[in-house]
Amino acid sequence: MLDHRLAPRILGEETWWRGPLPVETLALRSASAALTAAHGLLGERRFALETRRLAAAFGSIGHLRIEGEAPAPFGAMSGFFRCRDGWLRTHANYPHHRLALQRALGVEDAAGLAAALLEREAAETEERVFDAGGLAVRVRGREEWLGTLPAEGRGGADGAGSSRSGGPSRPAGFSRTADPSHPAGSSRTVGPGPATPRTPWVAVHPAEEAEAGRRPATASPEGLRVLDLTRVIAGPTGTKFLAALGAEVLRIDPPQHPELLAQHLDTDDGKRSAAADLREAGTLNRVRELAGAADVVVTGYRPGALARFGLDAETLLAERPGLSVVELDAWGGCPAPWAGRRGFDSLVQAASGIAVLYGSRRGAREGRGRGPHSGRGSAAERWRPGALPVQALDHATGYCAAAAALALLRTGGRARLSLARTAEELFSLPGLPPGLPRRQAPELVEMDSPHGRLTKVAPLIGEPLAPGRYGASPLAWD
């Protein structure tokens, strides 16, 4: 579904972070997919992919300043904590997740959490916290994680070519799925490469031919109506890209669980932001009317969470054939108990083996440690888990979501993505060529916003757009 002849030119270096995994390649392929899809809609190669801006975009939250102050990227109770038999990664940035973690373990603060976990087993704690509605994942090695996945879930890189054929900037691969309810089923790669039974990185199911042809072969993305029902980083990154193309993006959040202000200011450039409690019948009806008048709907909640409101892909497409619906979540097609769980980039890193691969001994600047269960030796020598240089699973998934949304505009249909599947893609990519990373200073811009003066990274494409006031927009299209 992506025409490799329309892939963007790559400007700049292709290595800038370095590390055990080719994160740069993941960034290049995902952003290239989004730009290739945009070019397909426009009918011409209009944008280049500047790697200086791409590197900054993937680490955008680290460069955000609000009235000159840097927001804290993680809450005090979010992070790696040592347990009696290994390590645990918690996520407690959002108040309701922090409260669930506190209730599950009977602690009040980060110090109490650290002390309590030293007396607990990691696996039992993981289950206890999830059962309480919190988020905590035991740090696993790569082989253990692979043992939990079906063979078709251990994906590989497919896809259309690029302006640097076969190189790290090749756009992400899209695959059509024979059964939209089971993306791990029969599939064929669109572009070079043999058909494979594995789960595609971006599982796309276009509408049936009788429902296709809603849009001409080429069109302008300006004025597209995009209903954004996503949170945190991945989904908002994808819809931010669509807003940069000129789409009208309306993001809706539940007022009982508002987005963190820093996340809004980082990812909602050029969008309008509204609050809607879907538990209220009148409000829900209004949101469904908005979906019925949209061109694209992007959702970012755990599987099944929106079905009771009639905002799942099946219901949306039944009511509006020709709609482009993109669904993304943390764990995708992973088996129980992961299916249906909440999750974040950092937690997927902990589960999939990334945290182990990026682990190091305390005091060491970099390098691989002995593993998640090594705890002997002095405190300075003990191993601890690590993380990718940026939240690359989120950002890459977001750009691929944007690509899928654009690719489906002509026919309508649905696409599925997950952070866990993006992690498998990262592991499958070829290593970077030898050499030192060439870091580039980010290009920063300043702008006014309803929440104060902002310093942000320059956008990947287009002119800088400011985020609006959070939750202040009406539930209406312009």
Side-chain angles (χ1 to χ4, degrees):
M1 298 185 72
L2 296 183
D3 185 346
H4 68 275
R5 296 169 298 179
L6 296 175
R9 291 186 303 115
I10 310 300
L11 304 178
E13 303 295 334
E14 291 191 356
T15 58
W16 53 85
W17 288 309
R18 281 293 174 183
L21 293 171
V23 183
E24 295 93 329
T25 303
L26 188 77
L28 285 163
R29 291 193 176 184
S30 58
S32 183
L35 289 170
T36 301
H39 291 164
L41 188 65
L42 294 165
E44 63 178 357
R45 295 173 70 191
R46 183 176 298 182
F47 304 107
L49 180 52
E50 299 181 42
T51 61
R52 178 189 180 192
R53 289 194 174 193
L54 178 63
F58 266 62
S60 58
I61 192 70
H63 302 292
L64 175 66
R65 299 294 182 270
I66 308 170
E67 295 289 353
E69 298 293 326
F74 287 98
M77 298 183 74
S78 297
F80 291 110
F81 291 88
R82 185 186 294 278
C83 294
R84 187 167 64 192
D85 59 346
W87 287 85
L88 199 72
R89 178 64 156 125
T90 62
H91 197 290
N93 287 7
Y94 292 86
H96 58 297
H97 292 152
R98 183 182 67 249
L99 290 172
L101 179 66
Q102 291 170 325
R103 287 195 303 266
L105 301 180
V107 299
E108 296 183 356
D109 54 25
L113 176 63
L117 289 178
L118 284 173
E119 305 301 319
R120 287 183 165 275
E121 293 183 355
E124 182 274 333
T125 305
E126 175 183 273
E127 295 301 319
R128 184 182 184 90
V129 172
F130 270 114
D131 289 345
L135 295 114
V137 168
R138 178 171 60 87
V139 174
R140 291 160 168 80
R142 181 64 180 156
E143 292 304 315
E144 181 183 355
W145 177 247
L146 286 176
T148 71
L149 300 181
E152 64 267 19
R154 307 171 193 174
D158 297 316
S162 75
S163 56
R164 295 182 180 180
S165 180
S169 56
R170 185 181 69 190
F174 282 25
S175 289
R176 298 176 185 264
T177 59
D179 179 359
S181 66
H182 184 56
S186 171
S187 68
R188 67 178 179 83
T189 301
V190 181
T196 66
R198 61 178 173 259
T199 306
W201 185 6
V202 185
V204 179
H205 182 74
E208 295 298 329
E209 187 173 346
E211 300 170 354
R214 185 167 61 91
R215 289 189 171 274
T218 59
S220 171
E222 294 185 9
L224 287 174
R225 289 175 169 177
V226 179
L227 188 61
D228 181 356
L229 302 178
T230 70
R231 293 174 63 79
V232 199
I233 298 175
T237 293
T239 53
K240 174 181 173 179
F241 180 86
L242 299 178
L245 289 172
E248 178 187 355
V249 180
L250 176 60
R251 174 173 170 175
I252 298 178
D253 285 301
Q256 67 272 26
H257 297 310
E259 182 58 274
L260 302 175
L261 179 60
Q263 295 288 11
H264 163 66
L265 297 177
D266 184 46
T267 61
D268 286 341
D269 303 11
K271 307 177 195 177
R272 291 186 298 121
S273 168
D277 189 343
L278 301 181
R279 298 170 299 183
E280 299 176 358
T283 301
L284 175 58
N285 288 338
R286 181 62 192 133
V287 172
R288 293 186 65 172
E289 289 174 357
L290 291 170
D295 300 291
V296 175
V297 176
V298 186
T299 70
Y301 290 81
R302 59 194 172 93
L306 294 176
R308 63 191 175 108
F309 301 115
L311 294 170
D312 56 300
E314 290 84 354
T315 304
L316 289 171
L317 288 169
E319 295 179 351
R320 173 82 186 279
L323 185 65
S324 172
V325 182
V326 180
E327 300 172 300
L328 57 94
D329 60 73
W331 304 106
C334 294
W338 303 101
R341 279 184 169 178
R342 299 173 179 87
F344 292 86
D345 181 307
S346 58
L347 300 183
V348 174
Q349 289 190 44
S352 65
I354 293 173
V356 170
L357 194 59
Y358 278 77
S360 64
R361 292 192 302 274
R362 290 182 182 176
R365 295 181 62 187
E366 61 182 30
R368 304 179 193 179
R370 294 175 298 206
H373 305 297
S374 61
R376 298 180 180 179
S378 67
E381 295 175 341
R382 286 181 181 175
W383 181 92
R384 68 175 293 114
L388 296 175
V390 292
Q391 302 224 59
L393 308 182
D394 268 328
H395 287 276
T397 303
Y399 283 115
C400 285
L406 293 170
L408 284 170
L409 278 172
R410 295 193 190 98
T411 64
R414 66 186 291 186
R416 283 185 171 182
L417 306 90
S418 73
L419 303 183
R421 181 58 186 84
T422 298
E424 294 308 304
E425 194 71 14
L426 177 57
F427 274 105
S428 78
L429 295 174
L432 295 170
L436 295 174
R438 299 184 180 182
R439 297 184 183 275
Q440 304 174 82
E443 181 182 348
L444 301 177
V445 297
E446 292 195 0
M447 62 183 68
D448 291 317
S449 82
H451 298 279
R453 186 73 174 169
L454 305 179
T455 301
K456 295 167 60 73
V457 300
L460 191 66
I461 58 171
E463 297 298 317
L465 300 173
R469 181 171 296 280
Y470 180 74
S473 296
L475 291 173
W477 297 113
D478 279 347

